Structure formats: structure tokens, C-alpha cells
């Protein structure tokens, strides 16, 4: 059946309309994606778990409910995936770690619950860097993920499996998380659209924590419109997360077509300085000119403390993770070593065996930064600088409506290239980390290909809770261009 | 040369909330292991804490009662350490900005003087679970029912100078916690427990090195533990040694403290603000709202008892040591209309019998209403005070109301003069020698006749009537 062959080219709205007008069933849509996963996942390794059976059961149920008119929403009948750190009831939830290689979650994360209730069909759980710590998806205990645009390259990280999934159209939408750039950087490497909303916009309940004050969940999809539809469902108050804000959720699709005439776009000069790959800079320049041609006003802004963001991040995030990961102790769930001889042995060996090198490195850095005598010099100081970074953005937003710049300094690098050089890996997130530290919303959308043939994404930063504005801007860009619809030939 | 003891107490009071401090699980005591531990209490991956507002309100209540500053923006912090009964690998507590700041409480010393004890702070935190070593051979069981139970840790200044002061402070705080409804103060269940920091020094010298004695859960233990610890420290110093800073456990069976861990082994808790919880913001309006619901505090109640019921300082102190006793007394005093009589009975027979049976006033088998009925029988001369005690004992054993007991046992006082006269006539007839002696001036023998008459009446003769008639007949 020819329709099934093209389902993966549809937008969320296309799938929704298809299943609601009877062009194809939810089961057919689900099967189409499951077949693609079966065919392509072995070479990409984008999924850790494929929930084939439950997906089919859900599809039958949702088909029925759509037929009875019980389900009509935008996600009804739409397949999707989840980064493997969202707890999914009855489903293996590994965080790409040996520590949780056997962990079947007894409950659903808030966002998983929302998508389930909206009638989405869960296809599976995406590969990622272990506990979301990494920028290349190489720290996964379940193996690296390959970039669909060049399988010798990384997809970025930590939501690398999700980015590869969307790039190869192995799901129309997935949820990632972004702590220091984990949605935006892989989106840039893989030519997809992804948004990290304002910290507090979406409940973190059931999202296995890396760094609690930075972690935020967000949609990854082909287009800004698909992200907007998803955000409509997952954003909003949840009483189970104290840091989730009680603010009204706008209809993010309602303002997608707003004009960009007079839009003030700020370009932070620090993001265009030394370190930015020239071929990436070229692609960025070209896109900026397109905005200018459509009536946007381009201004230079300055974020004078942004050079401190990476060091600040590598104190704050490891500090929080060192504490967040203490619960993985081999006592109640997760990996437990064989025949512990006493309690200390149980702790030490379970954690030694369960965690990978990068996770251990960050636990050690964080433990050190919080230790008596070092707390003031590291953690406290980092929090103070974090405030300065936030103030930089607040000042910039007095002059401009949004900020644009590169999502990362380079295009996707080779698998194995930076694996043994953590510092250069950490610098990958140079442009995304300041935004995370400030708690601001940031997104990446495709703007073309560099001279090396690899995709480049634009980072777009909005003021607090201005996701609608950002989605509007990206959507408009996607009306003028077709970068976001491009798929590597092999996966077309 | 003499030694001065310096004591500071850290008291953990479990708060009387229905649910835990950061989850919706029940806090009820004694349930089957792990049946009151939900995903949050188990520290499952991905779960988050949500603060129970009732715990905040109770902390403010205690803060107001000790005249403390309530912190407008207090912060929850993580105290990181590994232990199986701490499911997250950290305890959520408060560190730099506790909810209750500097306050104080006055205690009464044995010589009647009042002493002010400073209270450094009180902070909210979650309790840990329990490790069960007994029932599992070679293994340890973990019960997380208690994990996440709200605690208020109340930290005193090192203002106490002997074990008795420490006990007085702890008792006063215990009463306060119960008065305020902040906690049930049940010490057997561990709802009110204490760590004591103890050091010794020469008067006027700087503080000595302290030892912390953990988990003292009775007034008796705390006094004994402190006294033994003080002796131990003095012995060390006097024999040329130095006290090391350490944590010690009191063993009530062997009446000694023993080392648990030294300062060198102490954990570095790596406190930092919990990023999962927002600062607790308390407005002046919030504080006033709590203040409006505050009950009468023990000191104010004592003053009122002295002025309203004309009680002595001693009686009023005893009666206001617990809210339940005070309530019981007031019910009896109002019921019988004689506060002094009520105070004598509540502080006397009632409290003595409670102590004998190791019972709390709320568990007393004789209710305030029942006691009023008995006191009314004293007031209307149905029984004497002495016989009333016998009636009370029967009532305690469940033999019925005052009237029923008096009836059944025939304890009604004999006020019928002719019956008493007949008895006395018989006694005079039987003891001619004593009568003669008395009449010849041996006044002391009067007591002998009273005794004889009382015995004959089985104690039921109205003593005044009996005296009058006896005197009359003997003089006769």
C-alpha cells in the first residue's frame, strides 16, 4: 500500500488528519514506523527499546476510540518516541546506563502520561548519553548512535538517539531533555527542530534527573509546527514538580503565522568570535540575511560573562548530579553487584560496575565541588556567576526581542574523535550552556548545510516563557525554506 | 577544683501531620513494613518532593511559642550521605536558612528560680526509614514507612549547666510541643527524641571539647546519660587525658555511653540548596494567621490558674505541665466549684495513681466528670476525704461511678446522731478504766476514743459529729 510508504514524510498534523479522515489507520501509521525502525535502527542504534507489542495494542485501542469519536486531539493516533530517561510504566527505562539496564519503571513520567492520555502511540525509547551526560551519545552503555547524515559522525548528545530518530524519520516526534544543550546541539547536528522551553514550563516529574536546576524536557521533530503541537500537550502546571510554574499555556500553534516585520534579533558578539567554525558561520550569516530580508532588524548584543558559562556549568551540573545519582546504590532498584561482602562493598561495587566513566567523572567533580572547604570557592561562586550570566541576558532583552546565533561551533564530528578529550567535548556546548544557566527557552532549527555537507542549526533564544514567539519565528523561516524537510537519501 | 558542665540539646520532634513532609503517604505509626512508602518515599528515579504546607504551619507555631524569629525565606538543603534507610542518598533538611531562627524558653530550676535557655534555631527535615537487623540472618531489612516523616529539629544554645536543667528544658519543650498540637511527643515511638552535646570546663574557661550523645528517648535516660558522660569526661581530664570530639551512644542497660564515631570519621554532608524545592516564603500575614490559632501557652496558663483559681505557684506549675492535665483540672474545678479541692485531687490521688500505673491522663479510667461526682460527695458530707480515696480506687478499677461504689460498699458517712450516740455509749461502757483516767485529766486519751468509735463505724462516722458527741458524753 503506497500510503504506508509515505506516512513517515507526514507532519504530525498530516498523520492526525490521515487517521481521522480514515486515509489510514493508527495501526498502519504505527506499523509504518515500526517497520522503519526494524529496518534502520540496527545501523543507527537510535532506539534502546522498541515497544512493538504495546504500540500495537495501543494502536488498536486508539483506532477504536477515534472511530467512536472519543479521541480527537492533535496527538490522537500519532506515534512518538521518548528519550530513555522518561519513566514509562511497565517499560524498560535505562538512562542508557548499566545501572538501570534492568529497570522497568513502575510509573509514567508526567509528559509520558500526557502523551498517553492524548492518544499518542509510544514506539520506543531513544538512545542517549548515559544519564544525559555527554555531547555525542558516545557515553551510552548501549553503544554510540550514528548520525543519519553520515554514519561515521556522532548525532550530538545527550538526546542523540532522539535527533537521529527524527532525522531518519523513525518517529515523527520524540521528547528529549536539555540540561546544557542536549536538545539543541543534536538538533543542529541532525537537521531537525527542537525546543528547550523555559525552565519550569514543563513538569520534570518522572524525568530521571541529571542536574535538577537545569534539566528541561522538550519536543524534537521535523518542524516548528510539530514542536508547537507537542508543547500544547506537555506544557503546564503539575503539582508533583515544585519548580513547575503555574502559568497559562497558550495555544502555540495559534501564533505560528505572525509577521516578523520589525522583529529585533540580537546577535551576541561573543557567539561569533574565535572558536566558531568558518563554514558554520557562513551558514548562520546566510540565514540571518534571510530574516533581514523579511523585515527583521539585526542588532549586535553582548553577553560579557558568557565565556564563564562552561566552567560554571561544570561546577553546578556535576554538583547536582553527584547528589541526584546517590539513589542508585544497589539497594532498591537498578544494578546490584554479586555477593557483596558488606554494605560498603555493596555500594562501591554496584556503583563502580553500574556507572560509566563520564558519569563517574562528573560524580567525582561534583562531590569535590560540594565538599567542606571547597563549597564557597566552587559551588557558591558558580551560583553567583550564574546570576551574572542571567543578568547579561536580561540586559540584552531590553534591546532585542530574540537572540540568534549558532547552536554549536562545528558541524557533527567523527565518532571517537573527542571521546578521550572531555574538555573539548565540554566546549561543544559553549553557545547553549549560557541559555540553560539563565533558565531561558532556546531552540534549534535547520538552516542549511556547511561546506562539509553536514547540517547546521540556528539557535534561537527567547525571553522567559516566550516559546510562542520563538516557534512563530522558526515556523516562518520554515515557510520560506525547505531545509527542515530534507532527509538523508538513504532514509527518504 | 570544681568542674562546670555545659549542655546543649538537639531535639527532634515529629510533627503531627497526616501525610509525609514531601509525599502524600500516611505518617501513621506501626503499619506493616513498607506499606506506607510511595514512589517518592522509595526515592524512585525521576520522582520529586513537594512540600507539605501543614509542616510549615506547625514549625511556625512552635517558632511563635518560643518567641523566635520566623525566617521569611527559608531554604531546604540536601544533606548527602549513604545509608540504606536513606533512600535518596541524601536527607532533605535545612542548613543555612532554617525556618525558625533565634528564640528562647524559660525553665524553672529546683530552687524555684527561672532560667532562660536560648534556642539557636529550629529546622524542618525528613526522617529516615528503619534498618531491621534482627529478623534477617546475615541481612538487613529496610522499612521505609518512617522515611519522609516530618521532623522539626530544635537546637538549643549550650546554656544548660547540669543534667537536671537539661531534663527541665526537655520536659518544658515536650509539653510545649504537645500543647501546640505540633507533635504528639510520643517518646516510646520516637516522636520526640534528643541528642545531647556535653562538655566540661573549669568555670570561666572556654568551652571544653564536646561529645554528642545520640538518640535519647526518655527523660530518665537523658539525665543518666549526661551524668555518666560528665563523669567520664572529668575522669579523662583528671587522669591527664583529653576528651575527643565524637558521637556516642547511651546504653541504658549498662548505664554508660560508648563511642559511635569520631570527628575524623564524621561524614562531610556536602550540604547544598535542594534544586527540587523552591524557597519557603512566609509573609507577615501567614505568621499572623498562625498566631490567631495559637492555644494558651503553658506559662500564661499557669499565671491564669494562679489568679483565676487562687492556686499556689507549685500547684499551678504541676497542673500546667501538660495541656491534658490542665484541661482535666479545669473540668474538675469548674464541675465541683472548688479549685483547691480539685487541685489537691488532681495533683494528689490522680497523678499518684497515674504514676503507679504508668499511665497518661488521657488514659485515666476515672474521667473528669466522674471525679467531679466523687468530689461532690465530699462536699455534701456523704463521704469523708479519706473514704473518698477508697471510693476513687474502686472507681479506677472500674467498679462503677462514685455513687454506685458508695452504695455498693455502704460507705455513706453516718451523720445520724442517735446511731453515733449508741456506738459511743457502748464504747464508754466497755472501757470504764480509760473513761476514769480521761475524766481525771488524761486528755490524750480522747484520741483513743475517737479511734475506737471510728473503728466501730468502719470509718463512716462523720468525724465532726463524732467528735462533738464524744466530747459531750465523756465530759458528761
Amino acid at each position: 500500500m503506497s500510503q504506508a510508504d509515505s506516512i513517515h514524510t507526514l507532519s504530525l498534523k498530516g498523520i492526525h488528519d490521515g487517521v481521522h479522515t480514515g486515509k489510514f489507520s493508527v495501526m498502519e501509521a504505527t506499523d509504518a514506523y515500526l517497520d522503519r525502525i526494524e529496518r534502520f535502527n540496527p545501523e543507527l542504534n537510535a532506539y534502546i527499546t522498541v515497544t512493538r507489542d504495546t504500540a500495537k495494542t495501543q494502536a488498536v485501542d486508539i483506532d477504536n476510540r477515534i472511530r467512536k469519536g472519543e479521541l480527537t486531539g492533535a496527538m490522537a493516533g500519532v506515534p512518538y518516541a521518548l528519550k530513555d530517561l522518561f519513566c514509562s510504566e511497565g517499560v524498560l527505562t535505562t538512562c542508557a546506563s548499566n545501572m538501570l539496564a534492568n529497570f522497568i519503571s513502575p510509573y509514567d513520567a508526567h509528559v509520558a502520561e500526557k502523551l498517553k492520555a492524548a492518544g499518542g502511540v509510544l514506539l520506543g525509547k531513544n538512545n542517549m548519553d548515559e544519564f544525559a551526560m555527554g555531547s555525542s551519545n558516545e557515553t551510552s552503555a548501549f553503544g554510540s548512535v550514528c548520525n543519519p547524515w553520515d554514519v561515521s559522525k556522532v548525532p550530538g548528545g545527550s538526546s542523540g538517539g532522539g535527533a537521529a530518530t527524527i532525522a531518519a524519520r523513525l518517529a515523527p516526534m520524540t521528547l528529549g531533555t536539555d540540561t546544557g544543550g542536549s536538545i539543541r546541539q543534536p538538533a543542529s547536528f541532525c537537521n531537525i527542530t527542537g525546543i528547550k522551553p523555559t525552565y519550569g514550563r514543563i513538569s520534570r516529574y518522572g524525568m530521571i534527573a541529571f542536574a535538577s536546576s537545569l534539566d528541561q524536557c522538550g519536543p524534537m521533530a521535523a518542524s516548528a509546527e510539530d514542536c508547537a503541537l507537542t508543547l500544547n500537550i506537555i506544557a503546564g502546571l503539575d503539582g508533583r514538580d515544585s519548580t513547575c510554574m503555574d502559568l497559562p499555556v497558550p495555544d502555540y500553534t495559534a501564533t505560528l503565522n505572525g509577521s516578523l516585520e520589525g522583529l529585533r534579533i540580537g546577535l551576541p558578539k561573543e557567539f561569533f568570535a574565535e572558536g566558531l567554525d568558518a563554514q558554520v558561520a557562513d551558514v548562520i550569516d546566510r540565514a540571518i540575511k534571510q530574516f533581514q530580508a523579511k523585515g527583521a532588524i539585526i542588532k549586535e548584543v553582548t553577553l560579557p560573562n558568557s565565556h564563564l558559562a562552561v566552567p560554571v556549568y561544570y561546577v553546578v551540573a556535576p554538583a547536582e548530579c553527584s547528589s541526584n545519582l546517590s539513589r542508585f546504590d544497589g539497594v532498591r532498584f537498578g544494578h546490584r553487584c554479586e555477593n557483596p561482602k558488606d554494605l560498603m562493598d555493596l555500594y562501591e561495587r554496584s556503583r563502580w560496575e553500574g556507572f560509566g566513566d563520564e558519569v563517574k567523572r562528573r560524580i567525582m567533580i561534583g562531590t569535590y565541588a560540594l565538599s567542606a572547604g571547597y563549597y564557597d570557592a566552587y559551588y557558591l561562586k558558580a551560583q553567583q556567576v550564574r546570576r551574572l550570566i542571567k543578568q547579561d541576558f536580561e540586559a540584552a532583552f531590553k534591546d532585542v526581542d530574540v537572540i540568534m546565533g549558532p547552536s554549536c561551533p562545528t558541524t557533527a564530528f567523527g565518532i571517537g574523535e573527542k571521546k578521550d578529550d572531555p574538555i573539548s567535548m565540554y566546549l561543544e556546548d559553549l553557545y547553549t550552556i549560557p541559555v540553560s544557566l539563565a533558565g531561558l527557552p532556546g531552540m534549534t532549527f535547520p538552516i542549511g548545510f556547511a561546506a562539509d555537507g553536514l547540517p547546521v542549526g540556528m539557535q534561537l533564544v527567547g525571553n522567559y516563557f516566550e516559546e510562542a514567539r520563538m516557534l512563530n519565528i522558526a515556523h516562518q523561516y520554515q515557510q520560506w525554506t525547505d531545509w527542515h524537510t530534507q532527509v538523508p537519501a538513504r532514509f527518504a | 577544683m570544681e568542674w562546670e558542665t555545659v549542655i546543649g540539646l538537639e531535639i527532634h520532634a515529629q510533627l503531627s501531620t497526616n501525610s509525609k513532609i514531601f509525599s502524600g503517604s500516611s505518617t501513621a505509626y506501626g503499619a506493616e513494613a513498607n506499606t506506607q512508602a510511595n514512589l517518592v518515599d522509595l526515592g524512585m528515579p525521576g520522582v520529586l518532593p513537594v512540600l507539605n504546607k501543614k509542616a510549615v504551619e506547625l514549625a511556625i507555631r512552635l517558632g511563635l511559642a518560643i518567641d523566635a524569629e520566623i525566617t521569611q525565606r527559608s531554604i531546604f538543603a540536601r544533606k548527602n550521605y549513604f545509608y540504606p534507610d536513606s533512600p535518596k542518598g541524601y536527607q532533605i533538611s535545612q542548613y543555612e536558612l532554617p525556618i525558625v531562627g533565634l528564640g528562647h524558653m524559660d525553665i524553672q530550676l529546683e530552687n524555684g528560680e527561672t532560667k532562660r535557655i536560648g534556642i539557636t534555631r529550629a529546622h524542618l527535615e525528613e526522617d529516615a526509614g528503619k534498618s531491621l537487623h534482627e529478623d534477617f540472618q546475615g541481612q538487613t531489612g529496610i522499612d521505609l514507612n518512617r522515611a519522609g516523616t516530618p521532623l522539626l529539629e530544635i537546637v538549643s544554645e549550650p546554656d544548660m549547666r547540669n543534667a537536671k536543667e537539661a531534663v527541665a528544658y526537655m520536659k518544658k519543650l515536650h509539653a510545649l510541643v504537645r500543647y501546640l498540637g505540633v507533635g504528639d511527643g510520643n517518646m516510646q515511638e520516637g516522636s520526640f527524641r534528643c541528642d545531647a552535646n556535653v562538655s566540661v570546663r573549669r568555670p570561666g574557661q572556654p568551652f571544653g571539647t564536646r561529645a554528642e550523645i545520640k538518640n535519647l528517648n526518655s527523660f530518665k535516660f537523658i539525665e543518666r546519660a549526661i551524668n555518666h558522660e560528665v563523669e567520664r569526661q572529668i575522669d579523662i581530664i583528671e587522669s591527664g587525658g583529653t576528651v575527643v570530639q565524637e558521637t556516642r551512644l547511651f546504653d541504658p542497660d549498662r548505664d554508660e555511653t560508648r563511642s559511635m564515631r569520631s570527628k575524623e570519621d564524621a561524614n562531610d554532608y556536602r550540604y547544598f540548596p535542594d534544586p527540587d524545592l523552591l524557597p519557603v516564603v512566609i509573609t507577615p500575614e501567614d505568621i499572623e494567621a498562625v498566631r490567631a490559632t495559637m492555644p494558651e501557652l503553658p506559662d500564661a496558663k499557669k499565671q491564669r490558674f494562679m489568679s483565676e483559681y487562687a492556686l499556689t505557684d507549685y500547684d499551678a506549675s504541676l497542673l500546667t505541665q501538660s495541656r491534658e492535665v490542665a484541661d482535666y483540672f479545669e473540668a474538675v474545678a469548674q464541675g465541683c466549684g472548688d479549685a483547691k479541692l480539685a487541685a489537691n485531687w488532681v495533683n494528689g490521688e490522680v497523678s499518684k495513681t497515674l504514676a503507679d500505673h504508668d499511665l497518661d491522663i488521657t488514659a485515666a479510667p476515672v474521667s473528669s466528670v466522674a471525679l467531679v461526682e466523687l468530689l461532690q460527695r465530699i462536699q455534701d458530707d456523704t463521704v469523708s476525704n479519706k473514704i473518698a480515696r477508697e471510693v476513687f480506687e474502686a472507681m479506677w478499677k472500674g467498679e462503677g461511678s462514685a455513687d454506685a461504689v458508695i452504695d455498693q460498699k455502704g460507705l455513706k458517712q453516718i451523720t445520724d446522731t442517735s446511731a453515733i450516740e449508741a456506738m459511743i455509749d457502748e464504747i464508754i461502757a466497755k472501757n470504764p478504766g480509760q473513761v476514769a483516767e480521761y475524766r481525771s485529766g488524761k486528755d490524750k486519751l480522747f484520741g483513743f476514743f475517737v479511734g475506737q468509735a471510728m473503728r466501730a463505724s468502719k470509718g463512716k462516722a462523720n468525724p465532726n459529729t463524732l467528735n462533738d458527741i464524744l466530747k459531750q458524753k465523756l465530759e458528761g
Side-chain angles (χ1 to χ4, degrees):
Chain A
M1 139 160 203
S2 64
Q3 239 154 13
D5 293 340
S6 62
I7 285 175
H8 70 277
T9 64
L10 298 173
S11 65
L12 295 195
K13 186 166 184 308
I15 296 170
H16 172 269
D17 292 351
V19 299
H20 282 77
T21 56
K23 258 196 234 162
F24 49 86
S25 65
V26 177
M27 183 60 89
E28 283 169 311
T30 303
D31 273 337
Y33 279 105
L34 288 172
D35 288 351
R36 286 182 68 80
I37 294 169
E38 193 169 281
R39 194 166 138 213
F40 295 119
N41 193 52
E43 65 195 83
L44 296 178
N45 199 26
Y47 280 85
I48 291 174
T49 302
V50 181
T51 49
R52 176 174 280 277
D53 294 344
T54 52
K56 283 173 172 280
T57 314
Q58 280 179 355
V60 171
D61 174 52
I62 292 161
D63 263 327
N64 272 328
R65 286 159 67 198
I66 289 176
R67 212 171 307 129
K68 288 187 204 152
E70 292 171 9
L71 269 178
T72 55
M75 274 305 291
V78 176
Y80 69 95
L82 291 172
K83 188 176 183 175
D84 206 17
L85 55 55
F86 292 102
C87 285
S88 324
E89 189 179 348
V91 176
L92 195 63
T93 299
T94 69
C95 259
S97 178
N98 283 326
M99 181 56 88
L100 291 179
N102 62 1
F103 178 67
I104 299 200
S105 174
Y107 76 109
D108 268 330
H110 174 75
V111 289
E113 220 172 68
K114 285 281 192 182
L115 290 174
K116 200 182 260 184
V121 177
L122 178 66
L123 296 168
K125 308 290 291 288
N126 288 140
N127 205 341
M128 54 185 278
D129 278 300
E130 185 180 3
F131 281 100
M133 298 175 198
S135 307
S136 66
N137 216 118
E138 292 170 290
T139 69
S140 169
F142 295 84
S144 299
V145 174
C146 299
N147 189 320
W149 291 93
D150 176 347
V151 291
S152 73
K153 305 288 185 189
V154 303
S158 64
S159 309
T165 289
I166 302 303
R169 304 299 192 251
L170 304 188
M173 185 277 286
T174 184
L175 294 187
T177 62
D178 189 315
T179 304
S182 284
I183 287 175
R184 291 162 287 162
Q185 184 252 19
S188 181
F189 281 10
C190 291
N191 197 52
I192 66 156
T193 308
I195 180 165
K196 176 204 95 79
T198 312
Y199 183 80
R201 177 74 286 186
I202 303 174
S203 168
R204 294 182 293 116
Y205 186 79
M207 207 173 102
I208 300 178
F210 159 20
S212 314
S213 74
L214 295 157
D215 294 344
Q216 184 61 206
C217 144
M220 302 169 89
S223 70
E225 185 185 20
D226 290 352
C227 289
L229 280 165
T230 309
L231 209 50
N232 276 352
I233 288 161
I234 60 174
L237 183 67
D238 171 25
R240 296 169 297 186
D241 175 2
S242 313
T243 62
C244 184
M245 298 284 281
D246 185 9
L247 286 171
V249 179
D251 175 356
Y252 293 103
T253 60
T255 46
L256 289 173
N257 290 312
S259 160
L260 304 190
E261 187 71 42
L263 176 76
R264 295 172 303 164
I265 300 174
L267 307 180
K269 66 174 189 200
E270 293 81 2
F271 287 14
F272 293 88
E274 199 188 340
L276 177 62
D277 188 309
Q279 54 167 348
V280 172
D282 286 347
V283 181
I284 302 275
D285 283 347
R286 195 175 63 209
I288 297 291
K289 289 203 173 74
Q290 287 174 292
F291 280 104
Q292 211 166 6
K294 296 286 180 181
I297 300 155
I298 309 299
K299 289 187 166 193
E300 187 182 85
V301 294
T302 175
L303 302 170
N305 293 293
S306 58
H307 65 290
L308 297 171
V310 172
V312 164
Y313 178 85
Y314 279 97
V315 171
V316 173
E320 292 181 8
C321 101
S322 72
S323 174
N324 283 335
L325 269 58
S326 293
R327 69 188 60 198
F328 304 105
D329 57 5
V331 174
R332 296 165 316 288
F333 43 73
H335 178 72
R336 175 187 287 203
C337 67
E338 301 267 347
N339 305 315
K341 69 173 196 287
D342 56 25
L343 182 61
M344 256 315 161
D345 189 40
L346 168 74
Y347 284 151
E348 288 179 1
R349 274 202 293 132
S350 299
R351 288 168 67 79
W352 178 257
E353 294 162 6
F355 292 137
D357 288 349
E358 185 59 30
V359 172
K360 284 177 196 155
R361 177 162 29 239
R362 298 203 194 187
I363 290 174
M364 287 190 289
I365 294 171
T367 302
Y368 181 82
L370 290 176
S371 297
Y374 297 101
Y375 178 85
D376 288 1
Y378 292 105
Y379 189 79
L380 202 63
K381 182 67 79 185
Q383 290 292 15
Q384 288 162 348
V385 178
R386 185 176 182 177
R387 219 161 15 248
L388 296 179
I389 290 167
K390 190 171 177 237
Q391 286 165 3
D392 284 353
F393 279 104
E394 285 164 1
F397 278 118
K398 286 191 178 128
D399 295 326
V400 297
D401 301 311
V402 291
I403 287 170
M404 280 192 197
S407 299
C408 24
T410 61
T411 55
F413 49 88
I415 292 175
E417 203 178 296
K418 297 191 177 185
K419 216 179 164 199
D420 299 319
D421 185 359
I423 302 290
S424 112
M425 189 74 90
Y426 295 170
L427 287 170
E428 267 302 306
D429 298 328
L430 184 65
Y431 307 133
T432 47
I433 281 176
V435 181
S436 297
L437 289 171
L440 287 164
M443 76 182 289
T444 291
F445 55 91
I447 54 168
F449 294 81
D452 61 7
L454 291 169
V456 173
M458 175 77 88
Q459 182 177 205
L460 167 59
V461 182
N463 212 333
Y464 296 101
F465 297 98
E466 296 209 334
E467 290 82 4
R469 185 78 175 263
M470 296 157 66
L471 290 162
N472 162 223
I473 293 165
H475 179 72
Q476 286 307 298
Y477 185 83
Q478 291 174 345
Q479 303 308 296
W480 322 322
T481 60
D482 67 352
W483 304 117
H484 66 289
T485 64
Q486 298 199 17
V487 179
R490 175 156 174 64
F491 305 101
Chain B
M1 217 201 314
E2 62 175 322
W3 290 96
E4 183 177 59
T5 303
V6 176
I7 304 160
L9 299 183
E10 291 168 19
I11 289 174
H12 288 88
Q14 182 180 319
L15 300 177
S16 51
T17 56
N18 296 324
S19 59
K20 294 185 177 178
I21 184 165
F22 299 119
S23 90
S25 301
S26 164
T27 53
Y29 180 83
E32 197 188 322
N34 296 311
T35 54
Q36 286 175 183
N38 66 14
L39 297 172
V40 174
D41 307 319
L42 291 169
M44 275 290 168
V47 297
L48 297 168
V50 176
L51 178 61
N52 181 340
K53 291 203 169 63
K54 181 76 184 169
V56 172
E57 185 200 313
L58 295 175
I60 297 173
R61 270 171 102 80
L62 185 96
L64 292 175
I66 58 169
D67 221 356
E69 200 176 306
I70 306 298
T71 310
Q72 285 181 14
R73 195 172 176 278
S74 73
I75 303 282
F76 280 102
R78 293 186 185 176
K79 178 179 180 179
N80 293 285
Y81 66 95
F82 285 97
Y83 204 68
D85 62 21
S86 166
K88 298 185 295 299
Y90 57 85
Q91 176 196 30
I92 305 177
S93 180
Q94 296 192 299
Y95 187 55
E96 280 184 332
L97 289 166
I99 185 161
V100 175
L102 207 61
H104 58 82
M105 202 172 63
D106 292 338
I107 59 168
Q108 203 154 18
L109 305 182
E110 281 188 321
N111 62 9
E113 277 174 32
T114 295
K115 179 171 177 176
R116 176 155 290 189
I117 306 296
I119 294 172
T120 319
R121 59 183 282 166
H123 65 254
L124 285 167
E125 63 183 24
E126 57 179 345
D127 207 344
K130 276 182 191 158
S131 296
L132 309 165
H133 301 287
E134 288 81 15
D135 303 340
F136 308 90
Q137 215 177 4
Q139 289 184 307
T140 298
I142 307 293
D143 176 6
L144 293 176
N145 281 352
R146 201 181 64 183
T149 299
L151 298 177
L152 191 64
E153 180 175 336
I154 305 149
V155 182
S156 84
E157 294 282 303
D159 284 351
M160 286 151 277
R161 292 291 171 267
N162 57 55
K164 286 220 171 353
E165 287 182 18
V167 172
Y169 167 80
M170 193 174 172
K171 279 189 172 164
K172 182 93 183 254
L173 193 58
H174 183 252
L176 192 59
V177 160
R178 290 170 48 109
Y179 254 89
L180 295 167
V182 161
D184 67 10
N186 188 321
M187 296 173 85
Q188 279 86 43
E189 292 176 4
S191 309
F192 193 86
R193 52 190 198 260
C194 170
D195 302 338
N197 284 296
V198 180
S199 64
V200 297
R201 64 171 173 187
R202 299 294 188 191
Q205 294 297 303
F207 290 139
T209 305
R210 66 193 158 86
E212 182 181 8
I213 315 170
K214 283 288 200 195
N215 266 333
L216 300 163
N217 67 348
S218 89
F219 299 124
K220 231 179 268 171
F221 288 170
I222 181 177
E223 184 166 354
R224 274 163 54 190
I226 290 172
N227 285 334
H228 284 277
E229 180 56 22
V230 167
E231 263 175 51
R232 189 188 70 88
Q233 292 187 11
I234 293 173
D235 283 351
I236 290 175
I237 301 171
E238 288 186 341
S239 56
T242 42
V243 175
V244 292
Q245 187 174 336
E246 62 183 349
T247 303
R248 300 182 68 84
L249 260 185
F250 178 63
D251 181 344
D253 297 328
R254 302 169 65 176
D255 230 356
E256 62 181 26
T257 64
R258 59 167 187 271
S259 184
M260 220 170 116
R261 57 173 181 260
S262 75
K263 192 192 175 191
E264 285 69 36
D265 304 331
N267 281 313
D268 175 355
Y269 291 120
R270 290 173 285 121
Y271 281 100
F272 75 108
D274 191 333
D276 288 332
L277 289 160
L278 301 174
V280 184
V281 176
I282 298 166
T283 64
E285 293 74 41
D286 294 334
I287 294 173
E288 288 320 304
V290 174
R291 200 191 300 278
T293 66
M294 295 279 280
E296 185 181 30
L297 296 180
D299 287 346
K301 201 183 274 284
K302 180 183 148 187
Q303 290 308 318
R304 180 169 65 80
F305 280 11
M306 288 167 67
S307 58
E308 195 175 317
Y309 299 113
L311 297 182
T312 61
D313 186 296
Y314 177 78
D315 276 344
S317 290
L318 283 180
L319 290 170
T320 52
Q321 268 173 8
S322 99
R323 188 172 169 177
E324 290 79 9
V325 170
D327 289 348
Y328 186 97
F329 158 74
E330 280 211 279
V332 175
Q334 280 161 14
C336 76
D338 182 345
K340 184 65 195 159
L341 180 67
N344 286 345
W345 270 80
V346 175
N347 283 339
E349 215 54 25
V350 175
S351 83
K352 185 176 138 296
T353 317
L354 285 171
D356 289 348
H357 293 83
D358 200 18
L359 281 179
D360 191 85
I361 187 100
T362 51
V366 178
S367 71
S368 55
V369 178
L371 183 61
V372 166
E373 190 187 310
L374 174 61
L375 299 193
Q376 282 167 341
R377 295 295 86 83
I378 298 174
Q379 289 169 313
D380 66 12
D381 282 340
T382 308
V383 293
S384 67
N385 210 53
K386 188 169 163 235
I387 292 290
R389 285 205 283 273
E390 194 184 327
V391 178
F392 179 79
E393 205 184 310
M395 289 165 72
W396 192 277
K397 288 183 189 147
E399 291 172 23
S401 69
D403 284 340
V405 170
I406 292 167
D407 240 31
Q408 273 166 31
K409 302 203 165 192
L411 295 174
K412 197 171 179 332
Q413 199 161 247
I414 303 165
T415 41
D416 173 1
T417 28
S418 59
I420 297 175
E421 270 179 42
M423 269 188 294
I424 290 173
D425 285 343
E426 202 182 323
I427 288 162
I428 290 175
K430 274 189 184 162
N431 300 285
Q434 281 85 344
V435 174
E437 275 182 60
Y438 178 82
R439 283 184 177 152
S440 65
K442 210 168 174 189
D443 287 354
K444 278 183 187 161
L445 274 172
F446 189 70
F448 163 80
F449 292 107
V450 172
Q452 291 290 314
M454 269 298 178
R455 196 170 306 143
S457 79
K458 299 195 175 70
K460 291 183 292 185
N462 181 300
N464 293 332
T465 318
L466 183 131
N467 275 357
D468 290 349
I469 297 173
L470 191 61
K471 206 156 246 165
Q472 207 180 316
K473 296 256 177 193
L474 286 172
E475 313 276 291

